[in-house]
Amino acid sequence: MRKLRIGGALAGIAIAALALTACNSGTPGASPSEEGDTGGDEETSSTPWEVATDVSIEGSPTFDAITERGSVKVGVKEDQPGLGYLDPTTGERTGFDVDIARWIAASLGYDEDQIEFTAIPSANREQAIVNGDIDYYVGTYSITDKRKEQISFAGPYFITGQGLLVAADNEDIEGPDDLAGKNVCSATGSTSIQRIKDEYPDATTTEFDTYSQCVEQLKSGQVDAVTTDEAILIGYAAQDPDNLKVVGDVFSEERYGVGIQKGDTAFVEFVNTMFTDGGDTWDAIFENNLGAAGVEGEQPDVDPVD
């Protein structure tokens, strides 16, 4: 198995701040960087994927809906530097998860101008997929048995673990065992906040729709720590290393998957095959978005289709 591990979370963090928030992923399919027969102008793009042609997925209601519409609707996060981030000034959307979403769209035959991105809070992800509001969701979406009761997952495409973000001058919290009597913030509906409630009941919990709201609460002293996947926390610390730091070791394994309509096995198999056959593309996407952040990445094997 090729597996991702988080190491040296704050190593090179000044460089990471630039890499996580300012990398330009370009337009999917504008230039092929791997062998293939399709693609666009070789001189204007550095994207590591191509826009496919003549794609067909038999027996996939998701693909049928995309084909009838002529565009792809993708659910994402937009407040997670390095993973899913929307620059409020430039309107540029960047991050590892966002590029994974673009890669899937390109493999289906759709370019950047045919993708409709929608930011969806953690608590609303399953319902958005069930309702058909989006075709698939890519945004630090941990694969869990509970979620699989409502939707299907392709992947995993990324493995990380839960961590803690605290104020840079905080010397009291070095790991989850120090959370008794502390106020810990995370996103409503996330696996992270549920783990704190279940495994560290002496902590007080605060919940918001987005992790960025928790970070603002941390900076203002309203909460003592923010918890979610360490890969996300690294991005926030990289943005503001004078005031924020990641502490301790990870205390879970989070396996990110692509959320898909339940029972659409054909679409799941299509995406899984893309991941399995696209190791070079995965490596390039990872390096472009997270390579400078002290994170060592290896692509994980996908799960067997249920």
Side-chain angles (χ1 to χ4, degrees), residues 15-305:
I15 298 175
L18 176 63
L20 288 171
T21 60
C23 65
N24 185 352
S25 298
T27 302
S31 173
S33 60
E34 299 175 339
E35 291 184 3
D37 298 326
T38 63
D41 185 350
E42 291 185 350
E43 298 179 358
T44 59
S45 175
S46 59
T47 53
W49 55 74
E50 304 169 10
V51 177
T53 58
D54 300 322
V55 180
S56 177
I57 308 177
E58 292 292 331
S60 169
T62 302
F63 182 77
D64 291 345
I66 292 170
T67 302
E68 182 176 354
R69 189 189 314 120
S71 62
V72 182
K73 293 184 177 181
V74 185
V76 293
K77 295 289 183 67
E78 56 185 30
D79 66 332
Q80 298 175 352
L83 293 166
Y85 185 72
L86 179 66
D87 189 308
T89 302
T90 67
E92 182 182 12
R93 200 177 291 275
T94 58
F96 181 81
D97 285 341
V98 171
D99 277 355
I100 291 291
R102 287 172 170 145
W103 180 23
I104 294 171
S107 297
L108 294 167
Y110 295 86
D111 210 337
E112 179 82 2
D113 60 358
Q114 297 169 297
I115 304 172
E116 178 184 336
F117 291 103
T118 301
I120 298 175
S122 295
N124 300 338
R125 291 178 291 197
E126 287 86 6
Q127 199 59 51
I129 295 169
V130 170
N131 291 347
D133 298 333
I134 54 175
D135 300 311
Y136 55 90
Y137 187 96
V138 190
T140 61
Y141 202 7
S142 296
I143 300 171
T144 68
D145 289 339
K146 183 176 180 180
R147 288 171 178 163
K148 288 167 73 173
E149 294 175 1
Q150 298 185 64
I151 65 167
S152 294
F153 282 99
Y157 63 89
F158 194 101
I159 297 176
T160 182
Q162 186 168 344
L164 292 170
L165 182 75
V166 301
D169 60 358
N170 187 309
E171 302 297 334
D172 297 329
I173 300 175
E174 297 181 354
D177 293 336
D178 299 323
L179 295 179
K182 305 298 185 182
N183 193 330
V184 184
C185 190
S186 194
T188 302
S190 66
T191 56
S192 299
I193 197 68
Q194 192 60 49
R195 180 170 289 107
I196 297 298
K197 293 177 180 179
D198 293 343
E199 300 180 14
Y200 304 95
D202 291 334
T204 300
T205 56
T206 297
E207 302 178 40
F208 290 98
D209 284 341
T210 65
Y211 297 114
S212 58
Q213 291 172 287
C214 285
V215 173
E216 290 306 313
Q217 291 286 302
L218 177 61
K219 288 182 179 180
S220 66
Q222 300 303 304
V223 300
D224 300 299
V226 176
T227 187
T228 182
D229 306 339
E230 189 180 59
I232 299 170
L233 300 179
I234 289 170
Y236 288 120
Q239 280 191 317
D240 193 2
D242 291 336
N243 294 303
L244 302 172
K245 66 181 179 181
V246 177
V247 295
D249 297 325
V250 297
F251 50 100
S252 73
E253 181 179 81
E254 305 298 332
R255 305 165 66 252
Y256 293 168
V258 179
I260 294 167
Q261 179 182 331
K262 186 171 178 61
D264 195 341
T265 303
F267 198 84
V268 171
E269 290 179 340
F270 177 88
V271 176
N272 279 351
T273 299
M274 185 200 79
F275 287 144
T276 300
D277 294 345
D280 290 344
T281 302
W282 187 98
D283 288 343
I285 291 172
F286 180 88
E287 184 62 28
N288 287 347
N289 290 284
L290 295 172
V295 182
E296 298 177 0
E298 291 186 28
Q299 183 183 9
D301 294 332
V302 300
D303 290 341
V305 178

